[in-house]
Amino acid sequence: MRVQVLNLVKEYDGVRVLDIEKLSFKEGRFHVLMGPNGSGKSTLLGIIAGLVEANTGRILYSDRQRDFQAVRRDITLVMQRSYLFNTSVYNNIISGLKYRGMNKSILRERALKWAEALDLNLFLHRNARTLSGGERQRVALARALVLKPGLLLLDESTANLDPESIIIIEKVLRDFLKESGATIIFVTHNVFQAKRLADRAYLLMDGRVIEAGESKEFFSNPDSELTRGFLGGEIVY
Ligand SMILES: Nc1ncnc2c1ncn2[C@@H]1O[C@H](COP(=O)(O)OP(=O)(O)O)[C@@H](O)[C@H]1O
Ligand SMILES: [Mg+2]
């Protein structure tokens, strides 16, 4: 799903935390948003996910320039810490689909597919709340992917996880993108991870887009001094 951000301003108590004239995210592409702590990444994702209201500006979705209400069921957000229900891993994975009244065998097929991909097969009957942090995030991602979102938003979803879970999640996201042609917007402040994943990369600072570009160009030859500083680790986050 295509996403266009236009003349977006967000303020908290009169302080401007986002000020973006224009940004667009395209189908089939892995967009990675970086920036120091407090630069507005989560706020931007929250606005795109329909959870946070902007002061001014618009977000248009799909080629038909729909508004949020028309596409809301096609958008899924995975946060840094996911809320899991106090029930089995399997029930958690299907919890989003169940409410959409889907046929039981299709539901099961989809759930097992992503459980397998995310290496959750051995846990399906365990209570989700007994899992480790990395396992929990894999459940949260499986729950998101069974919904087949056209727009998948991830906010620091692999921060502080065990390396093995990070490797699995990154592979699954790439595979999902390839097979679905969805749009992925992935927030991280890990430059190495951004390099591994991005088709297109963005640097946000103080609520503004400092740099946006194709991955190769962005990481090897950025325009902005600030980007060079950020990539070089000179800016502390
Ligand atoms: N609900 C809120 N109320 C007041 N200020 C907020 C709220 N949410 C975020 N902020 C402020 O907005 C700025 C951007 O925050 P955020 O989008 O969370 O940044 P990031 O995700 O890049 O760390 C920060 O200065 C933060 O303190
Ligand atoms: Mg954040």
Side-chain angles (χ1 to χ4, degrees):
M1 183 196 311
R2 187 158 173 228
V3 182
Q4 285 174 277
V5 176
L6 295 171
N7 300 314
L8 194 71
V9 171
K10 175 65 183 173
E11 295 178 348
Y12 283 114
D13 306 320
V15 178
R16 193 164 286 204
V17 300
L18 267 186
D19 189 348
I20 297 175
E21 196 184 317
K22 200 161 182 268
L23 257 187
S24 64
F25 303 100
K26 297 202 177 96
E27 273 144 26
R29 307 216 77 203
F30 212 123
H31 309 83
V32 177
L33 226 69
M34 283 169 283
N37 218 345
S39 56
K41 305 180 297 295
S42 294
T43 304
L44 176 58
L45 230 52
I47 292 172
I48 294 172
L51 300 173
V52 176
E53 213 173 324
N55 291 71
T56 58
R58 301 222 293 159
I59 314 279
L60 298 171
Y61 302 86
S62 93
D63 288 332
R64 284 184 280 178
Q65 311 218 328
R66 302 289 187 87
D67 68 8
F68 176 74
Q69 288 307 329
V71 297
R72 56 183 303 171
R73 280 168 63 120
D74 209 19
I75 301 176
T76 302
L77 170 68
V78 180
M79 313 231 242
Q80 180 171 355
R81 294 271 167 274
S82 299
Y83 180 87
L84 297 182
F85 299 108
N86 186 19
T87 178
S88 70
V89 165
Y90 182 78
N91 284 338
N92 269 278
I93 294 175
I94 64 170
S95 60
L97 277 180
K98 227 165 68 177
Y99 299 113
R100 297 187 185 184
M102 181 168 295
N103 172 300
K104 248 195 160 155
S105 68
I106 296 180
L107 204 142
R108 189 170 172 76
E109 197 180 304
R110 275 203 210 172
L112 293 180
K113 171 185 167 168
W114 292 114
E116 160 110 54
L118 286 155
D119 204 11
L120 291 167
N121 280 348
L122 293 176
F123 305 124
L124 285 175
H125 303 293
R126 278 256 299 274
N127 185 298
R129 293 194 176 161
T130 66
L131 302 178
S132 74
E135 290 156 358
R136 292 168 70 116
Q137 279 304 78
R138 285 187 269 142
V139 174
L141 183 59
R143 176 173 65 187
L145 294 180
V146 294
L147 297 172
K148 286 196 181 167
L151 175 60
L152 179 60
L153 308 167
L154 302 112
D155 193 357
E156 311 258 16
S157 306
T158 65
N160 305 318
L161 300 189
D162 57 289
E164 204 174 313
S165 289
I166 295 176
I167 290 168
I168 294 171
I169 289 173
E170 288 184 0
K171 178 181 187 318
V172 164
L173 287 174
R174 280 197 209 93
D175 290 347
F176 170 73
L177 186 69
K178 220 182 273 167
E179 83 165 51
S180 68
T183 302
I184 293 184
I185 308 177
F186 186 100
V187 166
T188 182
H189 55 240
N190 184 326
V191 173
F192 297 102
Q193 181 174 46
K195 268 190 194 172
R196 288 196 295 273
L197 292 173
D199 292 318
R200 231 182 134 68
Y202 303 80
L203 177 63
L204 223 65
M205 277 186 192
D206 296 329
R208 293 171 182 273
V209 180
I210 301 297
E211 182 131 5
E214 293 299 297
S215 184
K216 213 173 158 201
E217 197 59 20
F218 184 98
F219 290 106
S220 65
N221 190 23
D223 287 330
S224 163
E225 196 60 49
L226 290 168
T227 312
R228 283 193 282 275
F230 183 80
L231 296 177
E234 287 156 30
I235 291 159
V236 178
Y237 46 81

